[in-house]
Amino acid sequence: MKPQTSHHFFKPNVIILLALFLFVNLTFAQSKTEQITKLIDTYTEYKTFNGSVLVAENGKVIYKKGFGFANMEWDIPNAPNTKHRLGSITKQFTGMLILQLSEEGKIDLQAPITKYLPDYPKASGDIITTHHLLTHTSGIPNYTSFPGFFQNDSRDPSTPTEFIKTFSEMDLDFKPGEKFSYSNSAYFLLGALIEKISGKSYEQMLQEKIFTPLNMKDSGFDHHATILKNRATGYEKSGGQLINSRYLDMSLPYAAGSLYSTVEDLYLWDQALYTNKLLSKASMDLFFGEHVEAWNGHYGYGWGIASAPIGNTEESIATISHGGGINGFNTLITRAPSDKSLIVLLNNTGGAPLNDMAKAIRGILYNKPYDFPKKSVANTLYEDILANGLKAALVNYSTIKSSSDYNLNENEMNAIGYQLLQSEKINEAAAVFKLNVEAFPKSSNVYDSYAEALMTQGHNEQAIVNYKKSVELNPNNQNGIDYLKKLGVDVSEFEKEVVVPDAILQSYIGKYQLMPEFIIEITKNGSQLSAKATGQPMLDIFPQSENTFYLKEVDAKLTFNKNEAGDVESVTLLQGGREMTGKKM
C-alpha cells in the first residue's frame, strides 16, 4: 500500500514551582521576538517549516520574517513580502464578496441558487441556498475528493461553467442543511454566483471590492502564466527530500483556493475586519457567525470559529481562523478578536505543522509554557542510510527512536521506505518497513508495505504472513487481498460477510468522547452504521466482528466495549497504530 500521513515520583508542588521558576526566568531573559525566532528557527532546522511569518499583538505587528527559501534553485530567501499561494484561505475572500452583494440587495442568501443560476439542475439547485454553500452544508460532493482528480484532471484548464458540470448532476451526499461536510465544490459555485450576479469576473471583483480598497498590492488571483515578482515556488516532500510540487491549473481551485498573498497583506486584511470599511456591522456579524458545528467549534462564512490552545497549557482563547493547503503550500491565519492578536503562517514546502506552531506562538504571546518541535526519526534514518549505510543507520536508530528530542511517525517511516524502494535500495526499504512494523504493530498499512518489500526481495512466504496480518487488521485492504491471490493463497476467509443483529447495531448508536474536544458520533440508517468524528465527514463503518468495525476510506477501526452488565460504555479507536478510548456520553 502506498504511503498515505517517564514518570518521576517527586512532590508535585516542588516540581510545579521549579518549572514555573525556570519558565519565568527564560521568559524574562528572552523577548517575545527572540523566542519566536528561536522557535521558528528550530522548525526550519528540522526541515518542517519553510516560509513567512507575521505575528501581531494588540493590533500591532511585533514580528515578521521569512525562513528558508522562496526558490531553492536560486537560493532566493523567503521574506515578509514573499507571495505564497493561500489555498482555502481564499474562501473568506469569497465569503466577503457574497456578503457585499447581499448588502447591495443583489443576492438573497436564503433563496435557491437556481434563482441566480437558472441552468443549474433544479433537483438540487431548488433546495440549495447560498447560505448552504457558504457553510459547507449543501451536500454537493467535494470535487477534490473525486477519484483520480489530482492525478488525471487537476492539470487541465476549465471555465467555471464547464467545470461545474463535473459535479452539478451528481446526487447530493445529504439533504441541504442537514450537516457540515467540507466541500470545495460549494465555494467554486459561489465564484460562479459572484460572476453571474455582478457581470464581472471573480478576479475583477476581488480587486475592486477588497484588494484595492485595502491597498493589498501583493494579493491576487494566481495565474501560472503571469510573471509575478516575489512569488514563492511550491515544493513537496518525497521521502527525505524536497521536490517541485505537481502542476495545478489555477482555474480549478478558483473561488475555493486560487489566491496568493503575503503575510503583510493578510495583516491589512485582518485589521480591516475590525472596521466596517468593507461591510456593515450586521453583515460582519454574519461573516463571523457560528452557523454550523464544525472542527471543534463552528463554521462562519469562510472561517472556523473555535477556542484555540495557548502553549502546552489547558488554557485557550477564542479565535477566528482558517487554514489552506494546495500543491506545495500550506497556510494558516488565526485571529483572536478579544485582544486583536494575529498569527499568519505561510509555508511553501507543504505539510508544515502550522497548528502546532501557532499553539506555541500563543504560548509566547501570553507568557505561557510551550513546546519546541522534535527531530524526525524517519528523516534522520533516511539521511543516515544514504550517508553511512544501513548497518550504521540502524545503530543510530536504536538510540534516537525513544529519545525525547525525536518523534517517530508511522507515515514518515512508510514514506522513506517507499523512497528507498523506488530508488531500488530494496534491502534498506525492507529494513525500514520492518522497523515500522515493530514500532506500530497494530497498523494494517505497515504490514502491507513490509509485505511488498519482502515480495520484491523474493521472500514470498514471509510476504504472505505480512499480507495476511494486514488484511486481518483491515478487512477492506483490497490491495493485500489481491496480492495474496497472486501469491496463490485462498482468500475466502477474508471475503466472508459479517452480519450483526439489528439490536446490537442499535446499541452502538450515540456519542463517544475520546478527548475534551474530540467526539465520535455513531448513527444508523437501516443496517448501515456510520461514524462522524469532530470536524470530519460522516463515513460508513463495516463489521469485522460483532463489536469491531472498520472504515474503507482510512486505515482505522472502532471497537465497542461493554461493561459487566452488558451495556455499551465506550469505543476504542485504532488508527495509525495508536489506540484511543472514549466513554459513551
Side-chain angles (χ1 to χ4, degrees), residues 347-468:
N347 173 73
N348 63 310
T349 52
L354 302 185
N355 286 317
D356 290 340
M357 294 172 67
K359 182 179 177 181
I361 292 171
R362 286 189 209 100
I364 293 170
L365 287 177
Y366 301 109
N367 297 313
K368 301 294 181 182
Y370 56 92
D371 294 324
F372 266 77
K374 296 182 178 183
K375 298 177 184 178
S376 167
V377 169
N379 291 344
T380 302
L381 176 61
Y382 182 82
E383 291 169 1
D384 273 354
I385 289 172
L386 297 184
N388 306 312
L390 179 60
K391 185 176 180 180
L394 292 177
V395 171
N396 191 39
Y397 170 84
S398 65
T399 301
I400 67 174
K401 66 177 181 178
S402 301
S403 169
S404 59
D405 295 329
Y406 285 81
N407 178 53
L408 179 59
N409 180 279
E410 176 196 335
N411 290 336
E412 289 181 354
M413 290 286 286
N414 208 49
I416 68 162
Y418 275 102
Q419 182 77 6
L420 292 164
L421 198 61
Q422 290 158 10
S423 301
E424 298 185 352
K425 296 182 180 294
I426 301 169
N427 293 335
E428 291 85 348
V432 169
F433 289 136
K434 184 179 180 182
L435 294 175
N436 220 16
V437 166
E438 293 168 353
F440 303 98
K442 295 181 179 179
S443 168
S444 167
N445 194 45
V446 296
Y447 291 96
D448 186 283
S449 299
Y450 185 34
E452 184 175 341
L454 288 167
M455 193 169 62
T456 305
Q457 287 179 311
H459 302 320
N460 289 353
E461 292 303 317
Q462 294 179 54
I464 289 171
V465 171
N466 282 274
Y467 274 130
K468 281 187 173 182

Side-chain angles (χ1 to χ4, degrees), residues 131-133 135-139 174-181 292:
H131 171 81
H132 291 143
L133 300 178
T135 56
H136 298 290
T137 58
S138 68
F174 51 85
K175 180 181 176 183
E178 187 174 84
K179 61 184 179 181
F180 173 91
S181 182
V292 59

Side-chain angles (χ1 to χ4, degrees), residues 42 69 102 104 183 189 207 235 285 288 300-302 330 350 382 385 408 443 515 524 556 561 566:
T42 306
F69 294 99
S102 175
E104 294 167 8
S183 175
L189 199 50
Q207 289 295 338
Y235 302 94
D285 289 343
F288 299 126
Y301 286 168
N330 69 317
Y382 182 82
I385 289 172
L408 179 59
S443 168
M515 293 175 64
K524 178 175 173 287
N561 311 305

Side-chain angles (χ1 to χ4, degrees), residues 520-535:
I520 293 179
E521 181 180 6
I522 304 298
T523 57
K524 178 175 173 287
N525 183 10
S527 61
Q528 179 64 60
L529 284 188
S530 300
K532 184 185 185 307
T534 302

Side-chain angles (χ1 to χ4, degrees), residues 532-580:
K532 184 185 185 307
T534 302
Q536 301 295 321
M538 184 76 73
L539 299 174
D540 291 339
I541 58 176
F542 303 88
Q544 178 179 346
S545 65
E546 190 173 89
N547 70 320
T548 299
F549 292 71
Y550 62 91
L551 287 78
K552 292 185 176 181
E553 289 83 357
V554 295
D555 181 11
K557 290 197 303 185
L558 292 169
T559 299
F560 296 94
N561 311 305
K562 295 182 179 180
N563 57 24
E564 293 181 357
D567 298 322
V568 178
E569 65 174 4
S570 66
V571 70
T572 299
L573 169 66
L574 173 61
Q575 185 173 7
R578 292 181 171 84
E579 287 185 344
M580 187 184 303

Side-chain angles (χ1 to χ4, degrees), residues 186-448:
Y187 270 77
F188 191 102
L189 199 50
L190 286 169
L193 275 169
I194 290 165
E195 294 195 352
K196 182 74 172 181
I197 293 166
S198 68
K200 300 178 181 179
S201 72
Y202 174 69
E203 182 174 4
Q204 282 180 289
M205 288 290 284
L206 286 166
Q207 289 295 338
E208 292 178 13
K209 306 288 283 186
I210 301 176
F211 296 151
T212 297
L214 299 185
N215 199 32
M216 294 174 66
K217 296 178 179 178
D218 290 325
S219 303
F221 193 112
D222 197 356
H223 296 285
H224 175 73
T226 301
I227 296 174
L228 187 62
K229 188 176 180 180
N230 298 327
R231 173 163 51 189
T233 300
Y235 302 94
E236 295 174 346
K237 296 179 179 68
S238 177
Q241 307 296 314
L242 285 170
I243 60 173
N244 285 298
S245 62
R246 295 162 296 165
Y247 174 75
L248 172 69
D249 193 277
M250 296 304 283
S251 66
L252 302 187
Y254 186 49
S258 64
L259 300 190
Y260 68 84
S261 190
T262 67
V263 295
E264 294 176 325
D265 265 13
L266 290 175
Y267 169 70
L268 297 177
W269 167 243
D270 163 77
Q271 289 298 288
L273 298 179
Y274 290 110
T275 73
N276 298 121
K277 187 170 185 177
L278 299 176
L279 284 175
S280 68
K281 182 182 183 304
S283 293
M284 289 298 288
D285 289 343
L286 274 177
F287 196 35
F288 299 126
E290 297 182 355
H291 298 297
V292 59
E293 288 188 9
W295 297 342
N296 301 324
H298 294 82
Y299 201 83
Y301 286 168
W303 292 97
I305 297 95
S307 293
I310 299 174
N312 60 17
T313 71
E314 296 296 318
E315 298 179 48
S316 62
I317 188 168
T319 57
I320 299 171
S321 310
H322 212 288
I326 194 166
N327 296 15
F329 296 84
N330 69 317
T331 58
L332 178 67
I333 178 172
T334 178
R335 315 169 63 241
S338 62
D339 62 2
K340 294 187 177 180
S341 70
L342 169 72
I343 301 169
V344 184
L345 302 169
L346 306 180
N347 173 73
N348 63 310
T349 52
L354 302 185
N355 286 317
D356 290 340
M357 294 172 67
K359 182 179 177 181
I361 292 171
R362 286 189 209 100
I364 293 170
L365 287 177
Y366 301 109
N367 297 313
K368 301 294 181 182
Y370 56 92
D371 294 324
F372 266 77
K374 296 182 178 183
K375 298 177 184 178
S376 167
V377 169
N379 291 344
T380 302
L381 176 61
Y382 182 82
E383 291 169 1
D384 273 354
I385 289 172
L386 297 184
N388 306 312
L390 179 60
K391 185 176 180 180
L394 292 177
V395 171
N396 191 39
Y397 170 84
S398 65
T399 301
I400 67 174
K401 66 177 181 178
S402 301
S403 169
S404 59
D405 295 329
Y406 285 81
N407 178 53
L408 179 59
N409 180 279
E410 176 196 335
N411 290 336
E412 289 181 354
M413 290 286 286
N414 208 49
I416 68 162
Y418 275 102
Q419 182 77 6
L420 292 164
L421 198 61
Q422 290 158 10
S423 301
E424 298 185 352
K425 296 182 180 294
I426 301 169
N427 293 335
E428 291 85 348
V432 169
F433 289 136
K434 184 179 180 182
L435 294 175
N436 220 16
V437 166
E438 293 168 353
F440 303 98
K442 295 181 179 179
S443 168
S444 167
N445 194 45
V446 296
Y447 291 96
D448 186 283

